[in-house]
């Protein structure tokens, strides 16, 4: 099958920052992304779990973004501006996608 | 007075308190008992809708008291004022950073709706009436404290996210405020008739649902305490026990100045004495990311909430009863 | 008649309607108030189970009317027929593609169970009896419209997924149909005794649960409207307001032909006038992926549902009352 | 006796049983009807809290019977003993591996709280009283069987995770045990007064909630049966039908030895006859990963649970009634 | 630790198509996959969220499939037949797995 | 943007083993990970779904761990000790991260 090179960006960020992040992505012309729920985790700020939580604080979401290699920098700059002062991690992997016209 | 004392003691062995204790104990013992996040949120949606609606229906029934507006203003002022006191008190009792102190202060200026609900149902149990619109006062007190916290953080702790319109919208249109006030409005408009229609959903089962919610809160508080060993200095714990008393006294003063009923005074004391663990933590993560969320939350949920629930509320009652001489 | 008018006005200020309005307003104001998906599903499971069970128990109580079968057939025919009218009407009012028109048509041939529930509880409030088996008619009307929609899509809009057995199973064994009919059967078999056993779960709290569910629907509808600016042309909106009236008139004709009671006629009108936003959208995504889901959903949930809930239902009542001369 | 027979037949057409049947049928027909995981967990939290609390309140009301401790001990012994019988019986009826047999045995030594609840409400329906503390016996029977299963696995099936303190904590502080006993304690402490406060949440709606939960269990059981074709040999199925009878007889003997009331004897039989499908499966996955989870679960949930629910419970009642001559 | 080359296929597809997709995968002899819930996202067809949704329409799921490189084409063909007319994205990344005997 | 090489380890394991796994990770000095919920899947032990499930058995979670390449082996050994006798899969991909100081 015809595959096309792309980047897979995975941004794990505080749930309260989800809207700010997606706004920033839209602002950078990145309109394709998928948000996965996160049930728990651990990091320098300790271990946490969503179980029984009511407030939006103290939870994370994972935003996955498949993007053409040449658009990566715009995305990273937009994302970094949001995550900079917040907890969370950003990783970028090489990948290949079907139907490149969608990206 | 003695009656109150007796019933206050009884309060300690109410299903509500014991459910919280059960959750706390289970979490500290590292049991895997837990509520799904969706269920916890569902329970809180129910509680907010029910308490708001009943408050509104109450206003419809007893007519709106001229003091309503004054009470709302008093609530806003308290919410704006308390953080400054909290900031100074916490800084003097422990050496947390100014940013952390500002964040904590924001939590204590705002309110805990569950503490409010627990106090209301205890009052009902004691047959002590209170102004129905106090639930609106509760809603009014949720957000202003955030302003003071951010002001403190900027002035005393260096930069904080400057509060743009977007952030303002998020703070003022916070889900719990909207639901509380919205249900209050619906209850007010539909009045007794509306209450008759849905009373068997929002009135009868209410206390039982509250038990389950407090069980969950006990679990969350216990997990938090376990996870944050070392986060709390003795000074911070002292703050978590002293600050509610300070708030209660200011609430008492405000309540008397407003000329509220005994029940109303108690509820204003409880609001001032309680600390937010839902709305404010989220706002602080957005606007004050450098602040350590574990500190605020452990203090509010692990220290002050249990204190108010068990000893605080009855204490505030006796204080109010003594002062008002009823 | 006047009584109905008055109570119809009252309907506008019922907790049910106002809860929907609250949700709608909160979402349009971009509040973060929201229900977890699991809670929304849980509420709808409860409503389907309760309404189905009560319908069955009602049939057990009042005995099964010879018209039951006729009514079921009439429902199926209406569901099959309405999409053709909807298709033509929508195409004449706006220039959406044939595929999109077919998909929308499928939604309007099917039914909205919540609209049905709201109408039923309004009737109960007015003390107007209706055939209990109308809930079975509602279930019977859910799926047939999908057939017509796919037929239209194939004939007029080029290829659509040809309906294999697998798809059929999915459509006919759709969760809401199965639960509605299953609970109906259980209610029928266990009758009054069964109702007595679980009545305090499915009868008393029902209206309150309905309020929470409508609050959530308001939130979803509001978010949909906000997200789909530009999706709806004025012509499409006109369709969303006209089509329910067309459906209601056909429902009226059917109800009279069947000789249903006033309440039964109203409910059949409501079913014909309402549009699906749960079962059909899913089926359309599977079988008609080229159709734009935002168009159908915004029309059904954002335009027609609120219209029926607020003005439609009372209007249909008055129409039916006028025609039946009661 | 005849009365019991008649009412036992009636049991088959109770909303509770029929809800389970509906779920089972829907799943076997591959309907997409399903409950969100969070809702299923929420329902079980409610049931555990309610049944525990009512048991405790009952003890508070009728005073604690000297037999309580003896009954708890008997429960533990039954839970420890039954796995050995189950192991031998299963191995003789089918040729599953020793590890698998040990895992299955652990399930049958433990209990199914829903089966217990169904039996209790049937007893209540029949006006047959039972010792309130039987719910504590149920909790006491959940874990010990795991010990026997692991012992069997090690001795007969080669290595199993040696049970470290960590695993022990997980087993003994299992969420359902903690909630059941915790609610029991709260009910006991708050007694009639506590029950009056939250009765309209944990008593009235109880049966209706149970219906929804059994509907979900039917769905899960049906999905399990569908997914595990070939997993169950005829011998294994025979075990799933025989073992409950064996358990019931031992429960009968124990109940008579303890001098329990008719209702108490029946409940002990039901506990011994039922198989765990929540606590034990999790423990077995941790400690006995080599065992095939599908086998245990399909037997417990797909064979034994439906059998007990439909025919088992009435049968055990008649047996107990016959023997106790009541 | 001994690792083996493999492909990580991530298919983000409409929730209503989950069964069709898994049936297709099983049909192609791909019996190992994991389904992750998706809470929201954005694409050419706009932004969406699962919050408060009852219907299955308007939601996505992420299906993750670890597979031996030589089996990739069968998988992609099977998957493509399903996603072709539907919204959704397919990406393939190189990865390494422990316990290759499981794949 | 300055990116740093890292490994993305994805461990899909039985939900009942989550605590054992995270304890093992912490033991190996791996304190950064994120847990994603899993709604269903299929493998040699058949197909499963979390729908309507009450018990913790019969469900999986996905643990994602971004780690410096040199720390990978410690992590894999710790993880393997837990998954060894249990069902589940472990995959490792090359990735790049922002803010390496966090890892
Ligand atoms: N190395 C990592 N790998 C995966 N997730 C991580 C990692 N570090 C942090 N996280 C996630 O980001 C959250 C916040 O991290 P931290 O800011 O280090 O406390 C953690 O709770 C995890 O959910
Ligand atoms: N570039 C992308 N990266 C990640 N997810 C995407 C991307 N594009 C689309 N999606 C997901 O696929 C869904 C449908 O995409 P679309 O068909 O473009 O509307 C979106 O709502 C996202 O959840
Ligand atoms: N090749 C695979 N790709 C993705 N997930 C898998 C794969 N194999 C197994 N799994 C996941 O691991 C679980 C147990 O696998 P198994 O031990 O093969 O039954 C499955 O239910 C899936 O959730
Ligand atoms: Na306060
Ligand atoms: Na219709
Ligand atoms: Na047993």
């Amino acid at each position: 099958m015809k595959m096309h090179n792309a980047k897979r960006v995975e941004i794990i960020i505080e749930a309260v920052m989800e809207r700010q992040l997606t706004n920033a992505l839209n602002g950078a012309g990145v309109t394709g992304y998928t948000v996965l729920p996160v049930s728990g985790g651990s990091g320098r700020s300790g271990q946490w779990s969503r179980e029984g939580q009511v407030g939006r604080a103290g939870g994370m979401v994972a935003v996955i973004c498949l993007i053409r290699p040449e658009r990566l920098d715009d995305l990273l700059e937009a994302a970094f501006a949001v995550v900079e002062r917040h907890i969370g991690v950003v990783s970028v992997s090489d990948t290949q996608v079907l139907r490149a016209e969608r990206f | 007075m003695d009656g109150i004392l007796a019933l206050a003691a009884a309060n300690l062995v109410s299903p509500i308190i014991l459910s919280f204790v059960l959750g706390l104990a289970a979490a500290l013992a590292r049991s895997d008992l837990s509520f799904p996040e969706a269920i916890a949120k569902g329970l809180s949606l129910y509680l907010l809708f029910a308490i708001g609606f009943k408050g509104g229906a109450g206003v419809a029934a007893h007519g709106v008291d001229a003091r309503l507006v004054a009470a709302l203003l008093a609530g806003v002022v308290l919410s704006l004022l308390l953080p400054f006191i909290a900031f100074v008190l916490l800084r003097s009792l422990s050496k947390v950073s100014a940013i952390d102190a500002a964040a904590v202060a924001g939590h204590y200026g705002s309110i805990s709706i569950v503490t409010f609900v627990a106090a209301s149902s205890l009052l009902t149990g004691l047959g002590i009436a209170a102004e129905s619109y106090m639930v609106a006062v509760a809603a009014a007190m949720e957000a202003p404290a955030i302003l003071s916290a951010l002001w403190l953080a900027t002035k005393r702790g260096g930069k904080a996210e400057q509060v743009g319109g977007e952030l303002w919208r998020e703070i003022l249109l916070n889900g719990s405020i909207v639901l509380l006030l919205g249900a209050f409005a619906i209850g007010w408009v539909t009045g007794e008739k509306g209450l008759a229609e849905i009373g068997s959903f929002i009135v009868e089962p209410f206390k039982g649902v509250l038990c389950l919610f407090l069980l969950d809160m006990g679990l969350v508080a216990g997990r938090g305490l376990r996870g944050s060993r070392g986060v709390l200095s003795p000074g911070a714990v002292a703050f978590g026990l002293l600050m509610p008393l300070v708030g209660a006294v200011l609430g008492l003063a405000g309540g008397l100045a407003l000329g509220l009923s005994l029940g109303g005074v108690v509820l204003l004391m409880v609001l001032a004495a309680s600390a937010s663990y839902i709305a404010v933590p989220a706002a602080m993560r957005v606007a004050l990311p450098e602040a350590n969320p574990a500190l605020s939350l452990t203090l509010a949920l692990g220290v002050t909430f249990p204190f108010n629930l068990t000893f605080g509320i009855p204490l505030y009652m006796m204080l109010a009863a003594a002062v008002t001489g009823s």
Side-chain angles (χ1 to χ4, degrees), chain A, chain B:
Chain A
M1 286 248 145
K2 183 90 195 62
M3 307 291 289
H4 311 74
N5 291 331
K7 296 287 187 180
R8 180 182 186 276
V9 183
E10 188 173 70
I11 305 170
I12 298 172
I13 188 172
E14 294 180 272
V16 291
M17 298 304 292
E18 178 181 339
R19 191 184 281 173
Q20 279 89 332
L21 177 62
T22 54
N23 289 347
L25 291 179
N26 294 331
V30 180
T31 58
Y33 51 83
T34 295
V35 184
L36 304 183
V38 172
S39 60
S42 162
R44 299 169 314 157
S45 46
Q47 207 159 350
W48 63 273
S49 151
R50 283 306 296 162
E51 277 179 342
Q53 300 276 7
V54 172
R56 258 160 70 253
M60 315 280 295
V61 294
V63 177
I64 294 171
C65 197
L66 298 163
I67 191 166
R68 293 164 178 275
E70 59 268 27
R71 317 245 4 260
L72 179 61
D73 282 342
D74 304 355
L75 186 160
L76 290 181
E77 250 143 50
F80 189 69
V82 176
V83 294
E84 191 181 3
R85 294 178 53 225
H86 289 271
I87 61 181
V89 293
V90 180
S91 64
V92 180
S93 317
D94 295 327
T95 188
Q96 297 202 302
V97 294
L98 285 178
R99 311 198 284 181
E101 67 281 3
R102 295 185 154 248
F103 298 92
Chain B
M1 184 61 198
D2 297 354
I4 289 190
L5 253 168
L7 280 150
N11 162 51
L12 279 178
V13 293
S14 73
I16 293 172
I17 308 287
L18 292 177
S19 297
F20 178 80
V21 173
L22 171 59
L24 199 65
L28 291 175
R30 313 215 340 263
S31 160
D32 69 350
L33 177 59
S34 72
F35 281 54
E37 179 180 357
I39 295 300
K41 284 188 174 154
L43 293 174
S44 78
L45 288 168
Y46 167 87
L47 293 174
L48 290 167
F49 180 79
I51 191 85
F53 192 101
K54 287 184 282 186
V59 169
H62 311 121
V64 51
D65 181 324
R67 293 193 196 77
L68 168 52
V69 180
L72 288 174
L73 284 176
V76 171
V77 172
L78 272 171
S79 181
L80 283 169
L81 180 68
L82 286 164
F84 292 90
I85 303 172
F87 184 85
V88 174
L89 184 60
L90 178 55
R91 296 273 278 174
S92 65
L93 285 171
S94 77
K95 40 186 171 12
V96 301
S97 74
I99 289 280
D100 283 342
V104 170
H107 289 70
Y108 281 82
S110 181
I111 60 113
S112 150
I113 199 69
V114 181
T115 314
F116 176 83
V117 169
S120 316
S121 63
L122 188 59
L123 285 172
T124 320
L126 294 162
I128 302 176
E131 289 75 8
S132 312
Y133 55 70
M134 287 311 291
V135 60
V137 176
M141 290 178 70
E142 281 212 22
I146 297 170
L147 251 191
S148 308
L150 296 184
W151 189 89
L152 282 162
T154 335
K155 287 280 156 303
R156 310 286 303 278
K159 85 163 178 324
E161 196 86 27
Q162 84 271 46
V163 187
E166 178 68 6
L167 182 57
W168 264 119
R169 229 203 56 266
E170 285 203 4
I171 290 173
L172 291 178
L173 293 183
N174 170 282
S176 54
I177 298 179
V178 169
L179 183 49
L180 208 50
L181 289 181
F184 181 81
I186 298 178
W188 193 341
V189 173
T190 61
E192 289 297 290
K193 195 171 150 310
L195 193 58
E197 279 186 50
I198 66 173
S200 49
F201 176 63
I202 64 172
V203 178
E204 279 90 49
F206 187 81
K207 258 195 179 171
V209 178
L210 185 58
C211 285
L212 281 190
F213 188 70
L214 279 169
L215 173 56
D216 176 56
M217 285 191 60
L219 290 167
V220 173
R223 224 184 313 125
L225 285 170
R226 238 179 50 224
S228 59
R229 277 187 235 71
V231 170
L232 292 188
S233 64
V237 175
F239 168 84
L241 299 173
L242 276 176
M243 187 60 209
L245 302 177
V246 176
V249 170
L250 285 174
L252 175 61
L256 294 175
L258 289 165
L260 296 176
S261 69
L262 171 58
V265 172
V266 170
L267 290 180
L268 193 59
M269 293 171 79
V270 168
L271 288 172
S274 68
S276 167
Y277 43 80
I278 295 182
V280 177
M284 287 300 144
R285 286 313 301 154
V286 174
L288 229 50
E290 288 79 9
N292 173 5
L295 175 63
S296 308
L297 209 60
T298 314
L299 269 177
L301 193 53
V303 178
T304 300
F305 177 72
F307 170 74
N308 280 331
L309 200 62
T310 49
F311 303 105
I313 297 175
L315 185 69
Y316 310 148
M317 278 187 181
M318 290 183 276
L319 243 161
V323 173
T324 60
S326 47

